[in-house]
Amino acid sequence: MMIKFRNYILLSGLLSIGVLTTSRAQNPVVQTIYTADPAPMVYQDTVFLYTGHDEEGATFFTMNDYKVYSSTDMVNWTDRGTPLSYQTFNWAKGDAWAAHCIERDGKFYWYVTLTDKKLNRPVIGVAVSDHATGPFKDALGKPLVAANQGDIDPAAFIDDDGQAYLYWGNPKLWYVKLNEDMISYDGAVMEEPLTPESFGKREGDSLRSTLYEEAPWLYKRQNTYYLFYAAGGIPEYLAYSTSDSPVGPWSYQGVVMPTEGQSFTNHPGVIDFKGNSYLFYHNGALPGGGGFARSVAVEPFSFGEDGTVPELKMTSGVKNAIHPVDAFRRVEAETMAFSEGVKTEEQPKIGVFVTSIQNGDWLKVRGVDLKDGAERFKAAVKTKAGGSIEIRMDDPSGPLLTTLKVAGDHHWQELTATDLQTIKGIHDLYFVFKGEGENDLFDFDYWYFE
């Protein structure tokens, strides 16, 4: 049964941030499906967010494919489709678990956790593409790493001297030095010593002596290397250690994000973008969410003067956009800051578009610049039962800019609304969908003003 993600007031309790209205919410950054294990990557002027995909109704980590999203303003995220799945690898039988994509010399390498058909346990594969959003193909025709039990959660890193590293592991922590081709390595798989000095002391667990659990993420700031990871056992929290070398020895520094958010796992991803630092993670904040139905979120943060990472709480997310959206350029409908009820779908000729639109559903685009006002609104839609799109300012029930009537012959068409109120400047736009009955009303591909 398809879940319609509604009633976001539930987020107030889940995120422990008090009353949270739909107009203020930014987290989770994706509301159309469940996403997990974020792996953000900055490439040129864009953040690409690679995620896993928790299937609806799952009672374990049921994950079959990977998703990509992108943003240039850190509040509006564009669904870039599903360019990779376990079926891309003919040696894999399933379990598209945590992964990490990184760019080198104009190619993109996506390191993935999959279950090997012959070994019947998780291993690490690698896919390659000429584009950040794919298509990706299996680079080797076999696993890259199949060394130990617990070969999961790969995280790649390229140091300033060009040497690349791949970290992974649960319950142990391993790494290799990748060759320049990024799809091979020389030498043995190295085990990072897990000591209380490096990763904190764990009490009451005969199998694990330190707080390290899984999901390593290697990051460098100035001359210090940071290793972020899920810590503490179940339920997990996020912690970090530092070193003056990418291979340790490490020094335990403390908690980054305490346990909260209705998911018993967590997974860090840290980037710098446009002068700010961001921590990506996951929780169970969407309706129906939990340990096997997770959602990716993000928090901005600032390092201390001494390089320490502050302890962060799960909040409603990024407050301010880096730049406004130009209302007079084509904007994909799957670009949104928040939504209620809708899904996305991908087709070869159309690409990604918004679907599963029913009466009362809506989506929000944050910080749209209408400049001195618009005369026409245009949108590409495909009629099903028909209905209308109300474009409202700053709230789902805010001032009405215009209404686009949607009717037609069940083919894609660009429709125009000309009866626009004169509204100027930067506003959050809400596309509120109206129609009769409980059937899907139409599909929505893109929009722009003239």
Side-chain angles (χ1 to χ4, degrees), residues 94-366:
D95 302 327
W97 291 357
H100 186 195
C101 189
I102 193 170
E103 180 269 342
R104 182 165 194 163
D105 297 331
K107 288 188 177 293
F108 299 85
Y109 300 90
W110 203 342
Y111 302 91
V112 297
T113 306
L114 302 165
T115 295
D116 182 271
K117 290 178 180 177
K118 294 180 180 178
L119 296 174
N120 198 34
R121 66 170 174 83
V123 297
I124 295 170
V126 57
V128 64
S129 176
D130 293 328
H131 305 281
T133 57
F136 284 83
K137 63 180 181 179
D138 184 358
L140 294 173
K142 62 181 181 179
L144 171 65
V145 174
N148 302 283
Q149 293 288 341
D151 288 338
I152 66 170
D153 295 2
F157 171 80
I158 302 174
D159 207 352
D160 297 336
D161 62 2
Q163 178 61 59
Y165 300 83
L166 188 70
Y167 267 86
W168 73 91
N170 177 342
K172 296 183 178 181
L173 177 61
W174 294 284
Y175 72 89
V176 292
K177 291 184 176 181
L178 292 169
N179 293 326
E180 191 172 351
D181 65 8
M182 300 297 285
I183 60 172
S184 65
Y185 59 90
D186 291 327
V189 171
M190 302 300 293
E191 181 178 341
E192 187 68 46
L194 297 178
T195 66
E197 293 77 20
S198 294
F199 297 98
K201 182 175 177 57
R202 185 183 301 206
E203 303 289 349
D205 190 329
S206 60
L207 298 178
R208 303 174 191 246
S209 60
T210 74
L211 298 174
Y212 174 82
E213 185 76 17
E214 59 184 353
W217 182 276
L218 189 56
Y219 165 93
K220 186 178 184 180
R221 181 176 183 268
Q222 298 174 357
N223 293 319
T224 301
Y225 297 86
Y226 293 72
L227 193 63
F228 297 88
Y229 47 90
I234 303 298
E236 294 173 347
Y237 56 89
L238 300 182
Y240 78 109
S241 302
T242 59
S243 176
D244 59 6
S245 165
V247 296
W250 298 95
S251 176
Y252 178 67
Q253 299 298 329
V255 175
V256 176
M257 176 174 281
T259 300
E260 56 181 337
Q262 297 286 7
S263 171
F264 58 85
T265 65
N266 207 339
H267 191 112
V270 178
I271 59 167
D272 298 314
F273 184 62
K274 302 290 186 180
N276 296 293
S277 299
Y278 298 92
L279 170 70
F280 289 78
Y281 60 96
H282 67 225
N283 56 32
L286 284 182
F292 305 122
R294 298 160 293 179
S295 295
V296 169
V298 61
E299 304 294 339
F301 74 95
S302 297
F303 287 87
E305 292 185 1
D306 57 356
T308 55
V309 180
E311 185 171 313
L312 302 172
K313 300 286 287 182
M314 297 182 185
T315 75
S316 59
V318 179
K319 301 283 191 300
N320 300 311
I322 292 174
H323 61 78
V325 175
D326 187 347
F328 299 93
R329 291 188 176 185
R330 170 171 160 160
V331 179
E332 299 302 314
E334 63 273 13
T335 299
M336 60 188 82
F338 215 78
S339 67
E340 183 170 319
V342 302
K343 300 282 188 179
T344 58
E345 187 177 324
E346 186 175 7
Q347 293 180 355
K349 292 184 178 181
I350 299 298
V352 181
F353 56 92
V354 175
T355 189
S356 187
I357 295 172
Q358 297 179 3
N359 182 51
D361 293 346
W362 54 262
L363 63 84
K364 177 180 78 170
V365 182
R366 185 80 177 270

Side-chain angles (χ1 to χ4, degrees), residues 381-383 408-413:
V381 296
K382 184 173 72 172
T383 304
D409 57 1
H410 301 272
H411 292 88
W412 286 105
Q413 56 188 324

